[in-house]
């Protein structure tokens, strides 16, 4: 997945930088971004974090907007933009947040590809494995 500063269209995966990580959402319009929690939610108790719909300004929380530009192999596996929005909307109010296993990145990849994943956490895990194997 590549990232650009291009204006998103409905059904795009978007993100914004929050300290050392990114916060992810599904863009519908400037008035509607569907996301699992807010950028400053990781400090909240997990049971209080839900999938919600907000405007773009609340999603960005003062940060910069990046739009996903999937590679060709990813586009083949990706749902249509319409399906992505429908699935994201159907999950509004859902809980079960877990920073390592069910976070905002898992949410958007689940909506877009039908399988929850976190490329960021996968990369962190791989770096840890490599360090442990060198020890």
């Amino acid at each position: 997945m590549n990232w650009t500063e291009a204006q998103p269209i409905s059904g795009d995966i978007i993100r914004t930088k929050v300290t050392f990580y990114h916060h992810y959402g599904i863009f519908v319009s400037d008035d509607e971004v569907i996301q699992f929690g807010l950028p400053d939610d990781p400090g909240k108790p997990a049971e209080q974090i839900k999938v919600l719909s907000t405007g773009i300004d609340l999603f960005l929380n003062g940060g910069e907007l990046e739009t996903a530009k999937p590679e060709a192999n990813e586009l083949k596996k990706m749902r249509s933009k319409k399906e992505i929005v429908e699935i994201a909307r159907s999950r509004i109010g859902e809980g079960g947040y877990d920073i390592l296993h069910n976070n905002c990145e898992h949410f958007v990849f689940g909506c877009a590809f039908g399988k929850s994943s976190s490329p960021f956490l996968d990369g962190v895990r791989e770096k840890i494995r490599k360090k442990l194997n060198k020890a």
Side-chain angles (χ1 to χ4, degrees):
M1 186 84 54
N2 296 308
W3 297 91
T4 180
E5 293 179 8
Q7 175 64 33
I9 61 170
S10 183
D12 276 348
I13 296 172
I14 60 173
R15 72 181 188 181
T16 188
K17 184 91 168 161
V18 182
T19 63
F20 68 92
Y21 65 95
H22 287 93
H23 179 64
Y24 293 80
I26 301 295
F27 182 85
V28 181
S29 69
D30 284 343
D31 296 323
E32 185 178 16
V33 175
I34 303 168
Q35 58 197 303
F36 199 171
L38 293 168
D40 58 356
D41 274 355
K44 278 182 152 179
E47 60 273 4
Q48 292 180 12
I49 301 173
K50 308 281 185 206
V51 175
L52 67 148
S53 173
T54 71
I56 191 73
D57 291 337
L58 192 54
F59 171 82
L60 291 173
N61 195 32
E64 298 294 319
L65 174 69
E66 291 183 296
T67 302
K69 292 298 172 199
E71 296 179 13
N73 63 325
E74 293 169 319
L75 283 172
K76 291 177 187 175
K77 299 174 190 174
M78 210 169 185
R79 292 175 165 142
S80 74
K81 303 275 189 194
K82 183 180 176 193
E83 287 176 297
I84 292 168
V85 170
E86 288 172 357
I87 290 165
R89 280 190 178 138
S90 76
R91 295 182 62 187
I92 292 174
E94 185 178 295
Y97 184 87
D98 181 297
I99 195 152
L100 296 176
H101 304 289
N102 193 29
N103 62 38
C104 61
E105 189 175 21
H106 290 99
F107 169 73
V108 299
F109 278 83
C111 292
F113 296 100
K115 182 179 180 217
S116 293
S117 66
S118 172
F120 172 75
L121 288 175
D122 292 345
V124 169
R125 286 183 187 102
E126 185 60 28
K127 286 178 185 176
I128 291 169
R129 281 187 197 103
K130 285 180 180 178
K131 293 264 186 207
L132 291 174
N133 287 334
K134 289 181 181 178

